[in-house]
Every structure is written in C-alpha cells, then in structure tokens.
Amino acid sequence: MPADRLIVRFAYQRGWQVVDGSTILQTFEKKEEAFQLLVDRGARVWLQWSRTVIGGKTPPYDFAANFLQDTVGRILKTLHGKEAGTWFWTCHEGGATGKVPTKDEAVFGVERAYTRRVVKADWR
C-alpha cells in the first residue's frame, strides 16, 4: 500500500528527492516536479510541525507547519464559543482554510493544500 504522506527534501547538487521512510522514490531537478509526483499518487507532503511562537510565547493548541525554512501553514484549536473543540487550519500560500473536528484532519488539510498549491493543481 503506497504511503499517503511523503517527504520532499532538497538533495544538494542532485535536485529534489521524494522519500518514503528511508527509501528514495525518485529525484527531480525541480521542486514542482517532486510535488507533482505526490499529487499524481494522491499523497501529500510531510511538513515539519512545531508550536507557534507569538511574542516569545507558545499559545496552547497552536501549531505551525514548515517546509524547509518557510512557515507555510497553521492549525489551532478553538477553545471558546459554540465551535469550542474544533480545529481551524490555514495554508498561507493560496489562502485555503477549513474547520474540522480533529487535529489530524487539520494537519491533513494544511499538508494537502500546500502540496497542491506548489504545483498549482487547483488553479483554473
């Protein structure tokens, strides 16, 4: 069964590699070509996740998604009001957003949106 979440990494002097675990699936000259392989497979990029830092503080249930050195998205849990307990997600590039019941679904939303954004899959 193919993985639904793959790593895309910069391979110095070799271009961009798509990796599943410790296995290099393919190497490409351009980043967009590597991401296109993910879209073609119905997969998404495995982003690096960390706590969001605002003014030196880390708010609860608030996480940033990074690809290499760039912050590309964010997820946060709604703590108050009628939507308390739901998760909001946003992909900074392209402006895709959503509200979902779980953290895993929010992570999925950002990673899928960013993967498709890199190759302009949803542009008309």
Side-chain angles (χ1 to χ4, degrees):
M1 181 171 151
D4 69 334
R5 204 174 180 204
L6 300 169
I7 295 169
V8 175
R9 68 183 184 196
F10 181 67
Y12 183 71
Q13 294 185 341
R14 286 178 275 168
W16 296 86
Q17 293 177 332
V18 176
V19 181
D20 183 2
S22 60
T23 304
I24 297 169
L25 299 180
Q26 203 163 340
T27 302
F28 298 91
E29 184 178 322
K30 297 179 181 173
K31 173 177 139 181
E32 294 79 8
E33 295 169 333
F35 275 78
Q36 187 62 54
L37 176 68
L38 273 62
V39 171
D40 292 347
R41 287 175 164 235
R44 60 191 158 109
V45 67
W46 195 322
L47 297 173
Q48 297 297 311
W49 290 90
S50 61
R51 297 288 302 271
T52 301
V53 179
I54 302 171
K57 300 193 186 291
T58 53
Y61 307 104
D62 194 333
F63 301 90
N66 295 289
F67 182 75
L68 300 178
Q69 303 301 318
D70 298 326
T71 301
V72 298
R74 183 175 174 195
I75 65 172
L76 59 128
K77 188 175 187 178
T78 304
L79 300 177
H80 306 288
K82 63 183 178 190
E83 294 184 354
T86 62
W87 287 81
F88 170 79
W89 65 266
T90 183
C91 180
H92 300 323
E93 293 187 34
T97 64
K99 289 181 185 173
V100 292
T102 68
K103 180 181 176 184
D104 287 344
E105 289 173 283
V107 167
F108 177 90
V110 172
E111 290 181 342
R112 182 178 184 277
Y114 182 70
T115 300
R116 297 181 65 76
R117 172 69 179 165
V118 170
V119 298
K120 300 176 177 61
D122 299 319
W123 287 21
R124 303 209 188 276

